[in-house]
Amino acid sequence: MDEKDLARAAIHATGVVKKVGAVKFGAIGVAVFVVALLLLGLLFPAGNASAASCSDTGAGTDDTTPVSDTGGAAGGGTAGSLRQKQIGFAKEIDAVAVRLQLPGRATLIALMTAMQESTLQNLDYGDRDSLGLFQQRPSMKWGTKAQIMDPSFAAESFFTGRGGNPGLVDIQGWQLKPLGEAAQAVQKSAHPGLYAGHENTMRKLAKDAGLDLERAGTTGNQPAGGEADDVTSENSNCGTSTPAPSGGGGTFTDGTETYPLNNPRTVEEAIAWAKDHAGSRSEKKWYQRCLAYTAIVYGWSFSGVNYAIDHYKVVPSSMRHDKDRNPPPGALLYWDTGHRAGHIAVYLGDNKVASNDILRPGYIDIVDAELFETKWGATYIGWTPPVFPKAG
């Protein structure tokens, strides 16, 4: 439960008290409830890292998890199920892009952005005064509340800018940038790596909505020298700033079985890379990206799977070592965190793992393997060899 959920729960509780007519005790009950919520906020501050959404948000992944159809969605004339609402908003965004004579690529970037910012819903709340599909802020001159809550107005703002804020077409060479980078250039998010992970989902939604993402545009910031090949999840090198390793994969043994690997890095190279990019040498770019991190440790750009729990199931059953606490160095370890995603980390040997978020949100640190159970209350699932059947 985050701060927005707490606030909405408090409002709902107040309404319930009024409806039942508990005049004498209603105010006391609400006061006690709100105090309890405030205590929850003190005990569980929003800034604490957890594995609640620990997923591979790098390009090439596909979010197939249903999203709750509750909350503050509004506007746009899109009644019905969440999927229907998302398709309706996608059509409105695309209609603006078509009117502005922008290519289908602009629509895709906008859809990916809106999916990350609002789950492609026209929210009437957000961080501070953020609102709408793109979580634009009146205080930052993106428009009035009423204007931002108009999906067409918000989409036009995203494409062309508003109030001194640059839009997509103001970004030099935006058509050649990786999709997630182009979105980040407009949004300036604290978590820039999250947009790219919605590419496949939005391509599928656009197809369902009948949108043409391949159409050419006649306006926009065209790169000098004409169009180049689109930068997609397959060629954007999303998630890693290091050159592709030259290792041949090698083998992995658990003492009984030996498994051939096709990873770009060998086990030894992967462990060395993980150690070299942890602690004081870690960059703050791994918030809730445990599965993406483990794939990148082994030289891949993305895992091809959404969540750690799912990756455990993707690995052949003969390679899964349920509850076994004697993994060889280089193994992938898994935990059930009580959330949809679960958690995954790379075992380095001597009871140590390299993991994101466990000590510092967004950073990689080397810690004892049991820390996820003692700090997060997670349940250890087991380990597998470092195989990535869907990676790329």
Side-chain angles (χ1 to χ4, degrees):
M1 179 177 284
D2 59 19
E3 292 174 356
K4 291 180 286 190
D5 292 330
L6 292 174
R8 290 185 176 277
I11 293 170
H12 177 70
T14 305
V16 171
V17 170
K18 289 180 180 179
K19 286 180 181 178
V20 298
V23 176
K24 182 174 181 180
F25 299 104
I28 297 174
V30 171
V32 171
F33 184 76
V34 171
V35 170
L37 294 177
L38 292 174
L39 288 174
L40 281 172
L42 293 174
L43 291 173
F44 304 104
N48 273 356
S50 72
S53 299
C54 204
S55 60
D56 186 342
T57 51
T61 57
D62 181 11
D63 185 2
T64 57
T65 307
V67 182
S68 171
D69 195 14
T70 61
T78 50
S81 70
L82 173 60
R83 183 71 171 179
Q84 291 171 327
K85 291 178 182 179
Q86 290 174 327
I87 287 176
F89 289 130
K91 289 180 177 179
E92 292 190 68
I93 291 171
D94 185 61
V96 175
V98 170
R99 173 167 57 81
L100 296 173
Q101 298 182 314
L102 294 172
R105 184 177 182 81
T107 294
L108 177 57
I109 294 170
L111 294 180
M112 291 165 58
T113 303
M115 188 65 180
Q116 173 57 37
E117 296 291 351
S118 66
T119 323
L120 197 48
Q121 298 179 79
N122 200 24
L123 302 180
D124 59 4
Y125 62 92
D127 178 48
R128 289 170 284 188
D129 60 335
S130 299
L131 298 164
L133 291 167
F134 299 94
Q135 290 292 279
Q136 295 155 338
R137 299 177 60 191
S139 64
M140 298 301 290
K141 301 182 180 180
W142 282 102
T144 66
K145 178 177 180 179
Q147 288 173 327
I148 293 173
M149 290 299 295
D150 177 348
S152 295
F153 182 94
E156 182 174 315
S157 298
F158 176 81
F159 289 131
T160 65
R162 187 86 64 181
N165 299 295
L168 181 64
V169 299
D170 297 315
I171 308 304
Q172 183 63 37
W174 68 269
Q175 293 195 41
L176 296 182
K177 289 181 178 292
L179 299 167
E181 280 188 25
Q184 169 63 9
V186 179
Q187 298 297 104
K188 299 178 176 63
S189 168
H191 304 290
L194 299 182
Y195 298 107
H198 298 293
E199 178 187 350
N200 283 4
T201 308
M202 291 300 95
R203 286 187 180 277
K204 291 180 179 178
L205 185 136
K207 183 177 180 180
D208 291 345
L211 309 183
D212 180 12
L213 298 183
E214 305 304 320
R215 72 172 184 275
T218 58
T219 64
N221 191 357
Q222 299 285 348
E227 286 279 355
D229 290 340
D230 279 352
V231 182
T232 67
S233 59
E234 284 71 37
N235 61 25
S236 68
N237 198 31
C238 175
T240 177
S241 58
T242 58
S246 58
T251 60
F252 179 89
T253 181
D254 61 7
T256 303
E257 297 288 336
T258 297
Y259 308 98
L261 301 176
N262 68 340
N263 300 320
R265 290 192 180 99
T266 65
V267 170
E268 293 75 16
E269 289 171 338
I271 290 175
W273 190 94
K275 290 180 178 179
D276 193 49
H277 291 77
S280 62
R281 289 169 289 187
S282 171
E283 297 180 65
K284 188 180 181 181
K285 63 179 184 179
W286 302 109
Y287 182 66
Q288 295 185 342
R289 298 187 66 213
C290 60
L291 183 52
Y293 169 72
T294 59
I296 289 168
V297 165
Y298 274 94
W300 300 104
S301 291
F302 54 86
S303 73
V305 181
N306 288 320
Y307 301 112
I309 294 294
D310 295 342
H311 191 268
Y312 189 70
K313 297 173 183 176
V314 165
V315 175
S317 59
S318 61
M319 296 184 180
R320 301 176 204 157
H321 294 71
D322 296 341
K323 302 297 182 181
D324 186 286
R325 291 185 180 270
N326 296 290
L332 307 180
L333 275 60
Y334 304 78
W335 289 266
D336 181 348
T337 61
H339 299 281
R340 168 66 177 88
H343 190 69
I344 186 173
V346 179
Y347 186 64
L348 305 179
D350 299 323
N351 200 42
K352 299 292 185 181
V353 297
S355 173
N356 64 311
D357 293 345
I358 185 64
L359 294 185
R360 302 173 295 162
Y363 290 93
I364 303 299
D365 288 292
I366 296 174
V367 300
D368 289 339
E370 290 83 8
L371 188 58
F372 306 98
E373 296 164 75
T374 59
K375 185 175 181 178
W376 285 349
T379 301
Y380 179 64
I381 295 175
W383 64 268
T384 68
V387 294
F388 297 89
K390 297 189 177 183

